[in-house]
Amino acid sequence: GPLSERPLMEVRLGELHTWISTCNFSPQGLLGAVQKAWSSYCAKYIHVRQGGPAGISMLLAGYCLLSYGWNYQHFSK
């Protein structure tokens, strides 16, 4: 298909600059990209028939890393 409709993992390294230039960087476009990423994450890890703890544990691990990054100055003293 067209380059602008390909997911990032299917874009070749030489086409990356052209693919980035076709992206919509307006606030509405960025919000749409975040919504699409969240819905694909939920479809893959959360809303599955025989899901395990992988999706929830990934969210928890991400929160722990983010919290550690926010409090790094406090921990390093």
Side-chain angles (χ1 to χ4, degrees):
L3 184 61
S4 62
E5 294 181 7
R6 285 194 214 160
L8 177 61
M9 296 304 291
E10 293 181 8
V11 176
R12 295 183 183 187
L13 191 57
E15 301 170 332
L16 187 61
H17 178 63
T18 309
W19 182 81
I20 290 175
S21 66
T22 62
C23 294
N24 183 3
F25 290 108
S26 68
Q28 185 177 8
L30 293 174
L31 181 63
V34 169
Q35 287 175 341
K36 183 177 178 183
W38 177 254
S39 66
S40 67
Y41 170 81
C42 283
K44 187 171 183 180
Y45 293 108
I46 306 294
H47 305 300
V48 293
R49 288 188 169 219
Q50 296 177 347
I56 303 298
S57 63
M58 286 173 62
L59 282 176
L60 183 61
Y63 172 74
C64 290
L65 289 173
L66 191 63
S67 177
Y68 181 79
W70 284 336
N71 295 316
Y72 179 75
Q73 293 292 333
H74 178 70
F75 291 143
S76 64
K77 291 182 181 179

